[in-house]
């Protein structure tokens, strides 16, 4: 079996590219040979474009575009959603990140009857076998490419409201607009490479991801594999990944309509603060995370490849 990956950049530091690179390493270990997209292959695993040279084309759905207010889009939301439909229609099989992603495709795109499976993202536990980041205080950490639906302001305000003494919040990542929230226990760490992030995750009290309608955030997957509880909300794919391995904040229920994702519903600061306090006073530890190990995820991909080739 041979697999072609559609990766735009070999050195991209995004969670998606990190996942795909880990995935292909694990697939290689179990006998899957990777070839270029210009060669014949049994299976072509793609995220953007199928390959006529492959016996079977399998689409991995990273998410469905629902944001009607994204000014960076060169095409209308309807045109983008139509492209989603065409890709799913042309694929011999579809891999969704979780049931939330699949249900969104069914509701928004009217997708049904397609050979598909739900497989979580995964992470390599060996990457978190590192010395934890040493900081002057105990700390919570959060990291993202910060856009409005990631709720950076609420993440910070909830921490400040918690008033936990002698504890800090470390904020990593690219912030579109400078934050005007200055507090002695909130520290803006800037962009960090993967090694730095791994050490910071391992050293943290908990990882915070209260994004609205997240598909399948790699930050949550990595935190769980590192043995760290995750503060999250009830919306999107996060609850399906985290399960009972973190503290959950009730969020506004989404009815699968197109929305302005960059104007997310309010999340009560006192509820966020409560999650910080509970995770600090009663940390969730010692949970199993092998369901998110990249080696086990790769086996699920392999099994779906095999099934699709037999159809």
């Amino acid at each position: 079996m041979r697999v072609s990956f559609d990766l735009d950049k070999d050195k991209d530091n995004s969670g998606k590219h990190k996942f795909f690179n880990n995935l292909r390493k694990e697939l290689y270990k179990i006998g899957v040979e990777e070839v270029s997209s210009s060669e014949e292959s049994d299976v072509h695993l793609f995220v953007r474009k199928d390959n006529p040279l492959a016996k079977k084309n399998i689409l991995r759905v990273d998410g469905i575009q629902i944001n009607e207010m994204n000014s960076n889009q060169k095409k209308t939301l309807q045109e983008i959603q139509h492209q989603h439909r065409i890709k799913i229609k042309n694929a011999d099989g579809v891999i969704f990140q979780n049931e939330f992603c699949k249900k969104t495709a069914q509701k928004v795109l009217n997708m049904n009857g397609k050979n598909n499976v739900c497989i979580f993202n995964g992470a390599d536990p060996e990457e978190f076998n590192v010395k934890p980041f040493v900081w002057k205080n105990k700390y919570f950490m959060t990291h993202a490419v910060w856009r409005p639906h990631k709720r950076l302001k609420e993440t910070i305000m909830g921490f400040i409201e918690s008033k936990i003494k002698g504890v800090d919040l470390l904020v990593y990542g690219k912030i579109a607009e400078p934050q005007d929230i200055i507090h002695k226990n909130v520290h803006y760490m800037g962009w960090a490479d993967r090694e730095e992030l791994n050490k910071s995750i391992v050293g943290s009290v908990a990882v915070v991801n209260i994004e609205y309608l997240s598909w399948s955030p790699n930050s949550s997957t990595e935190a769980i594999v590192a043995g760290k509880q995750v503060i999250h909300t009830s919306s999107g794919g996060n609850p399906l990944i985290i399960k009972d391995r973190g503290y959950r904040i009730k969020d506004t229920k989404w009815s699968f309509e197109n929305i302005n994702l960059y104007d997310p519903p309010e999340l009560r600061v006192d509820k966020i603060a409560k999650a910080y306090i509970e995770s600090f006073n009663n940390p969730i530890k010692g949970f199993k995370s092998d369901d998110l190990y990249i080696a086990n995820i790769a086996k699920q991909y392999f099994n779906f490849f095999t099934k699709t080739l037999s159809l």
Side-chain angles (χ1 to χ4, degrees):
M1 183 181 292
R2 297 180 176 181
V3 180
S4 299
F5 292 86
D6 184 4
L7 292 175
D8 292 332
K9 301 175 184 178
D10 291 334
K11 297 182 180 180
D12 193 303
N13 197 38
S14 69
K16 179 177 69 176
H17 281 73
K18 178 66 176 177
F19 165 70
F20 268 113
N21 281 321
N22 280 345
L23 177 65
R24 61 174 163 181
K25 288 176 186 176
E26 291 299 327
L27 286 171
Y28 180 78
K29 290 178 184 178
I30 57 178
V32 180
E33 180 184 352
E34 181 188 351
V35 298
S36 73
S37 58
S38 62
E39 299 177 80
E40 291 185 1
S41 61
D42 290 335
V43 171
H44 178 66
L45 176 62
F46 73 103
V47 294
R48 290 187 175 86
K49 189 177 180 181
D50 57 2
N51 188 343
L53 295 177
K55 292 179 181 178
K56 298 288 184 178
N57 279 278
I58 296 179
L59 170 66
R60 193 266 193 170
V61 178
D62 192 49
I64 304 298
Q65 182 61 262
I66 56 172
N67 185 13
E68 58 188 11
M69 301 297 290
N70 191 342
S71 60
N72 294 324
Q73 293 172 185
K74 296 181 180 180
K75 297 180 180 180
T76 66
L77 179 58
Q78 289 70 30
E79 288 173 328
I80 293 172
Q81 289 179 345
H82 179 68
Q83 289 179 333
H84 282 318
R85 293 188 187 95
I86 294 299
K87 284 196 294 184
I88 290 175
K89 181 181 178 181
N90 290 342
D92 298 296
V94 180
I95 297 175
F96 295 104
Q97 298 182 70
N98 51 54
E99 288 290 341
F100 169 68
C101 190
K102 177 179 175 178
K103 190 173 182 180
T104 301
Q106 291 172 330
K107 294 281 188 178
V108 176
L109 306 178
N110 298 316
M111 186 220 84
N112 54 62
K114 174 66 67 171
N115 170 41
N116 67 82
V117 68
C118 293
I119 306 176
F120 288 144
N121 287 356
D124 184 353
E126 285 302 311
E127 291 189 9
F128 303 100
N129 186 21
V130 295
K131 291 183 179 180
F133 177 58
V134 178
W135 186 251
K136 57 187 176 181
N137 296 317
K138 291 182 178 181
Y139 64 87
F140 292 89
M141 71 90 67
T142 186
H143 60 104
V145 176
W146 292 103
R147 289 163 288 174
H149 62 298
K150 302 281 187 178
R151 290 172 163 158
L152 176 56
K153 182 178 180 181
E154 293 91 333
T155 299
I156 297 170
M157 294 307 297
F159 170 75
I160 294 172
E161 180 72 16
S162 73
K163 299 177 182 178
I164 305 173
K165 293 183 179 180
V167 178
D168 293 342
L169 173 66
L170 307 187
V171 179
Y172 290 89
K174 182 179 178 182
I175 302 175
E177 297 179 3
Q179 290 296 303
D180 56 1
I181 305 174
I182 305 299
H183 190 275
K184 63 184 178 68
N185 296 112
V186 177
H187 304 270
Y188 300 98
M189 309 296 285
W191 189 260
D193 62 26
R194 183 58 54 179
E195 185 177 351
E196 291 175 289
L197 283 177
N198 291 349
K199 290 179 178 179
S200 186
I201 291 170
V202 170
S204 69
V205 173
V207 173
V208 187
N209 184 336
I210 57 172
E211 175 183 353
Y212 186 58
L213 298 183
S214 56
W215 295 111
S216 184
N218 284 284
S219 59
S220 295
T221 299
E222 291 168 353
I224 295 299
V225 170
K228 295 298 171 177
Q229 57 187 346
V230 182
I231 296 174
H232 61 291
T233 77
S234 60
S235 75
N238 248 332
L240 299 170
I241 301 164
I242 298 165
K243 301 175 183 176
D244 58 355
R245 298 175 286 201
Y247 283 91
R248 190 168 304 161
I249 305 163
K250 187 176 181 180
D251 207 346
T252 301
K253 190 174 181 179
W254 180 51
S255 301
F256 299 96
E257 74 280 5
N258 296 328
I259 60 172
N260 179 1
L261 192 59
Y262 289 174
D263 184 22
E266 270 189 51
L267 199 60
R268 286 176 51 178
V269 172
D270 62 324
K271 297 291 186 182
I272 305 170
K274 182 180 179 182
Y276 275 107
I277 294 168
E278 289 179 338
S279 63
F280 184 76
N281 291 335
N282 301 291
I284 303 170
K285 298 179 179 180
F287 48 75
K288 291 185 177 181
S289 60
D290 55 348
D291 58 318
L292 300 177
Y293 285 7
I294 190 64
N296 292 332
I297 298 302
K299 290 176 183 175
Q300 293 178 56
Y301 270 75
F302 183 88
N303 290 340
F304 187 66
F305 295 165
T306 303
K307 173 192 172 185
T308 303
L309 280 168
S310 69
L311 297 176

